[in-house]
């Protein structure tokens, strides 16, 4: 079965530090890729998505992600984090079969704590 | 534009009872997805409805069921509740898929506690 791995369960950074959260998926074919964020007490929000084209994708709030097909990876980056980035981050995949399967396959999430 | 709405926000039930959760998608969205976010298990796909039909189902027992109404709103029903059904149940909606390029937008969830 397809799966998504997020390597870090909990990341603690100081403000202004750079962030990179790892995400790897197991499906060998074409995929749609997503990063969602869940701020404390709020619902899941889309940060960015990749369908095709330029493998470097820019999202909201200064986040970006790079799709590396050969590594089955879609890592999330931000050059300088802020206290307000404290949240849980989820990587998700929709494998593109002949027809759309529809459902997202999520990683287990990475909690990011940013110290002021 | 109003987002995905879910009701109720919280629910407490006892083992063996039945529960119905409700979801209204974003206006114009025809697909509704249900996910379970249980402690330690992450987000797991439950059900997908589009145009009133069940399109796909996750690895959950048949006591998890649902339906989608003509106005695209949806219900999730869970029968014979078990303690491990305690979780946050999330609904998401997406517009008609264009070349499989769906983006799902999530509601705030219903937190279910089974005692």
């Amino acid at each position: 079965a397809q799966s998504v791995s997020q390597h870090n369960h909990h990341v603690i950074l100081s403000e202004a530090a750079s962030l990179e959260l790892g995400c790897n998926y197991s499906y060998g074919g074409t995929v749609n890729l997503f990063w969602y964020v869940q701020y404390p007490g709020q619902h899941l929000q889309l940060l960015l998505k990749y369908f095709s084209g330029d493998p470097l994708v820019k999202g909201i709030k200064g986040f970006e992600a790079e799709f590396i097909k050969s590594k089955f990876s879609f890592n999330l980056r931000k050059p300088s984090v802020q206290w307000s980035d404290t949240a849980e981050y989820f990587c998700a995949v929709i494998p593109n079969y002949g027809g759309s399967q529809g459902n997202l396959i999520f990683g287990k999430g990475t909690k990011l704590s940013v110290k002021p | 534009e109003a987002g995905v709405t879910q009701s109720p926000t919280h629910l407490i039930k006892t083992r063996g009872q039945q529960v119905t959760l409700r979801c209204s998608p974003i206006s114009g969205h025809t697909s509704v997805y249900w996910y379970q976010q249980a402690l330690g298990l992450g987000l797991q796909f439950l059900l997908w409805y589009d145009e009133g039909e069940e399109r796909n189902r996750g690895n959950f027992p048949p006591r998890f069921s649902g339906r989608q109404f003509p106005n695209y709103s949806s219900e999730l029903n869970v029968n014979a509740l078990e303690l491990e059904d305690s979780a946050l149940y999330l609904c998401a909606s997406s517009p008609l898929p264009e070349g499989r390029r769906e983006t799902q937008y999530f509601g705030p969830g219903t937190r279910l506690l089974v005692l």
Side-chain angles (χ1 to χ4, degrees):
Chain A
Q2 290 74 35
S3 64
V4 176
S5 299
Q6 291 184 242
H7 315 298
N8 308 102
H9 177 64
H10 192 184
V11 172
I12 302 172
L13 295 172
S14 297
E15 275 194 316
S18 64
L19 170 72
E20 180 158 5
L21 300 182
C23 172
N24 286 91
Y25 61 92
S26 64
Y27 181 64
T30 307
V31 291
N32 295 337
L33 297 154
F34 306 82
W35 276 97
Y36 284 87
V37 60
Q38 192 169 32
Y39 297 103
Q42 296 187 29
H43 61 278
L44 271 174
Q45 300 173 39
L46 181 69
L47 259 185
L48 47 78
K49 60 189 176 186
Y50 173 81
F51 293 145
S52 65
D54 188 344
L56 187 60
V57 180
K58 296 200 183 298
I60 61 171
K61 304 189 180 187
F63 286 91
E64 64 177 31
E66 185 176 13
F67 170 50
I68 303 179
K69 190 174 181 180
S70 61
K71 295 185 178 180
F72 302 95
S73 71
F74 190 55
N75 291 353
L76 181 71
R77 300 195 291 247
K78 186 171 184 179
S80 175
V81 295
Q82 302 172 331
W83 177 78
S84 57
D85 293 325
T86 295
E88 190 158 15
Y89 293 80
F90 293 91
C91 180
V93 166
I94 297 180
N96 275 339
Y97 304 115
S100 174
Q101 191 85 346
N103 55 282
L104 289 159
I105 301 167
F106 282 92
K108 291 231 189 283
T110 297
K111 285 188 181 166
L112 171 65
S113 298
V114 180
K115 297 183 292 185
Chain B
E1 178 185 89
V4 177
T5 59
Q6 293 186 244
S7 64
T9 54
H10 294 83
L11 209 48
I12 300 175
K13 292 285 188 179
T14 55
R15 227 167 40 168
Q17 284 189 308
Q18 179 265 343
V19 69
T20 298
L21 311 181
R22 294 176 177 83
C23 171
S24 291
I26 292 170
S27 177
H29 286 191
T30 61
S31 278
V32 170
Y33 309 81
W34 287 95
Y35 295 86
Q36 183 196 65
Q37 189 175 20
L39 205 60
L41 294 178
L43 279 147
Q44 297 184 76
F45 166 69
L46 268 164
L47 290 158
W48 170 29
Y49 292 94
D50 185 66
E51 297 285 359
E53 303 275 337
E54 183 181 301
R55 300 295 184 190
N56 196 17
R57 180 182 184 86
N59 190 24
F60 281 84
R63 57 192 186 82
F64 286 84
S65 66
R67 55 180 173 166
Q68 186 178 35
F69 298 97
N71 66 354
Y72 304 113
S73 67
S74 177
E75 283 182 353
L76 174 69
N77 298 295
V78 188
N79 293 322
L81 284 166
E82 300 179 3
L83 298 179
E84 52 265 32
D85 297 334
S86 295
L88 181 67
Y89 289 85
L90 294 174
C91 173
S93 74
S94 73
L96 190 65
E98 296 179 14
R100 303 189 295 274
R101 296 189 171 196
E102 307 94 347
T103 297
Q104 295 177 28
Y105 298 90
F106 284 80
T110 293
R111 190 163 295 281
L112 172 65
L113 178 61
V114 182
L115 301 174

